[in-house]
Amino acid sequence: MDGWKDYQLLDMGNGQKLERYGRYTVVRPEAQAMGAPALPQAQWERADAVFSGDVDEEGAGRWRYKKQLPETWHMKYGPATYNGRFMSFRHLGVFPEQAAHWDWVQQQIKASKRQLNVLNLFGYTGLASLLPAAAGAKVTHVDASKKAIGWARENQALSGMEDLPIRWICDDAMKFVQREVRRGNTYDGIILDPPKYGRGPKGEVWDFFESMPEMMAALRQILSPNARFMILTSYAIRASFLASHALMQEYLAGLPGQIESGELAIREKAGGRLLSTSLFSRWSAPEEGKE
C-alpha cells in the first residue's frame, strides 16, 4: 500500500481489522485477525463506522456510524477517482489488495507495442477496467449487477475518462464468454475476479468449484494468438492457490510464458503483520519479440 494515500490497514486483532478509506476509518470483522491489536483501544473506538451482523463473507449486516456520514465520498488510485460507499455486505466498493494486479496489468499494457483488447469479468465497480483503459487498452467490462455497472460508470465520470474505449455490459459472465466463443471474438488480456457463489441477471448460478473448469475452457478459446496475460483471483474459498495454479496450467497448456500463483496480502501499518486476503494465479506471455 506504499504511496496510496487513500487506503491503509491500520491495525488488526481480536477478529477485527481497523482500516482507513480516504478520510474515514472503519472497523470490520476479520476471522484471520486472531492476535491482539497493536494500537490502543481508544484509537479503535474513534472509528467513524463499525460493521456488525452476519460475519460470513456473503452475509448481510449493518453499519453503525459515530456521526452522520455522506452516502459516498471520493478516493483516488493513480489516474482513477472512485466513490466509496458503505454496503450491507461490509464492503466499501474497492478491494485494496487488487492494487498489486492493477499495477501489473498496467505494466503489461504499457510494455506492449500495440493496443491490447482486455476483458474484465465480474468487473464490480470498475477500477480494474478504468486503469487498463487509462494505460492505453480497449476494455470490455462485464458484471451481472446493473447497480455495480452504474457505480463503475459513476467512477468513470469522476475520473474524467468518459472518452476512453470501455464497453460496459450487464450480463452473466459465463453466457457472455460462451457467446464470444461463437462469435469468434478474442482478447489479449483477461481479468477474472469471480465470487464463491453468485447469480446472473436471469438467475444463472455461479459456483466457483463447479463453474471454473467450464469457464477456463471457454476463456482459452477467446485468448488471442498474441495474448499477453490472464489473472484469476479467488476469495473466500476453502482451497490452496495450488488448485488454481493447476487449473491454469491445464487449460493454458502449450502457451509460452509463465504462471505465477500465491496469496494477495496487505501489510498492517501498526505492527507490520500480513493479512492474507485472497488467492491468485496469473499467466503472462514472454516479452514481445522474445517468444
Side-chain angles (χ1 to χ4, degrees):
M1 300 299 125
D2 292 346
W4 188 0
K5 295 181 180 179
D6 280 327
Y7 177 78
Q8 276 187 321
L9 173 61
L10 300 172
D11 193 15
M12 61 181 179
N14 297 335
Q16 295 182 308
K17 55 185 175 182
L18 176 66
E19 302 166 286
R20 181 177 58 77
Y21 284 83
R23 60 185 182 273
Y24 300 118
T25 55
V26 303
V27 175
R28 298 192 291 166
E30 179 50 66
Q32 296 186 87
M34 295 182 287
L39 295 177
Q41 182 62 25
Q43 190 158 339
W44 284 71
E45 291 174 354
R46 288 197 292 269
D48 298 293
V50 177
F51 185 88
S52 61
D54 192 331
V55 298
D56 183 79
E57 181 69 22
E58 301 302 326
R62 66 184 184 89
W63 289 93
R64 286 189 296 106
Y65 305 105
K66 174 156 286 190
K67 58 186 177 183
Q68 186 171 356
L69 300 177
E71 180 182 350
T72 63
W73 67 99
H74 296 174
M75 294 179 282
K76 287 185 67 67
Y77 188 86
T81 301
Y82 59 95
N83 272 327
R85 184 179 278 121
F86 294 105
M87 302 174 67
S88 61
F89 295 98
R90 72 176 171 177
H91 300 309
L92 293 97
V94 63
F95 294 100
E97 65 278 359
Q98 287 289 332
H101 287 333
W102 300 336
D103 293 347
W104 184 81
V105 167
Q106 290 177 88
Q107 291 166 7
Q108 298 292 318
I109 292 167
K110 291 175 180 177
S112 180
K113 299 178 176 67
R114 56 197 167 85
Q115 185 178 43
L116 300 186
N117 190 20
V118 173
L119 174 62
N120 182 19
L121 294 171
F122 307 95
Y124 197 43
T125 57
L127 280 178
S129 295
L130 296 175
L131 293 167
K138 294 187 296 183
V139 180
T140 299
H141 172 111
V142 180
D143 197 280
S145 167
K146 288 183 179 179
K147 186 174 182 180
I149 287 181
W151 191 342
R153 299 197 73 163
E154 287 176 12
N155 292 339
Q156 182 184 27
L158 284 173
S159 303
M161 297 183 182
E162 295 99 323
D163 295 333
L164 293 183
I166 304 174
R167 290 195 301 158
W168 304 101
I169 297 176
C170 183
D171 200 353
D172 176 72
M174 185 76 79
K175 286 188 173 179
F176 175 81
V177 170
Q178 290 170 341
R179 282 198 301 273
E180 292 293 85
V181 172
R182 294 193 295 270
R183 292 166 180 153
N185 291 333
T186 61
Y187 295 87
D188 303 306
I190 297 175
I191 301 167
L192 184 65
D193 194 10
K196 180 169 60 174
Y197 298 106
R199 289 191 178 273
K202 297 181 180 179
E204 302 93 340
V205 176
W206 169 271
D207 177 280
F208 184 89
F209 292 105
E210 293 182 6
S211 303
M212 270 309 304
E214 183 180 3
M215 174 64 83
M216 285 297 297
L219 291 177
R220 179 65 182 88
Q221 295 180 71
I222 65 171
L223 272 177
S224 74
N226 298 310
R228 305 306 305 160
F229 66 87
M230 179 188 290
I231 298 176
L232 167 62
T233 310
S234 51
Y235 287 86
I237 64 169
R238 294 179 179 178
S240 164
F241 63 79
L242 295 173
S244 60
H245 187 89
L247 186 72
M248 195 167 278
Q249 277 187 319
E250 177 181 350
Y251 285 96
L252 302 187
L255 289 180
Q258 64 175 343
I259 297 173
E260 304 169 281
S261 299
E263 298 183 37
L264 294 181
I266 299 174
R267 189 177 299 280
E268 66 169 355
K269 180 182 179 183
R273 294 170 291 185
L274 285 171
L275 175 64
S276 176
T277 64
S278 53
L279 312 176
F280 78 90
S281 291
R282 67 188 188 190
W283 165 79
S284 57
E287 291 182 36
E288 291 182 339
K290 294 186 180 181
E291 283 85 351

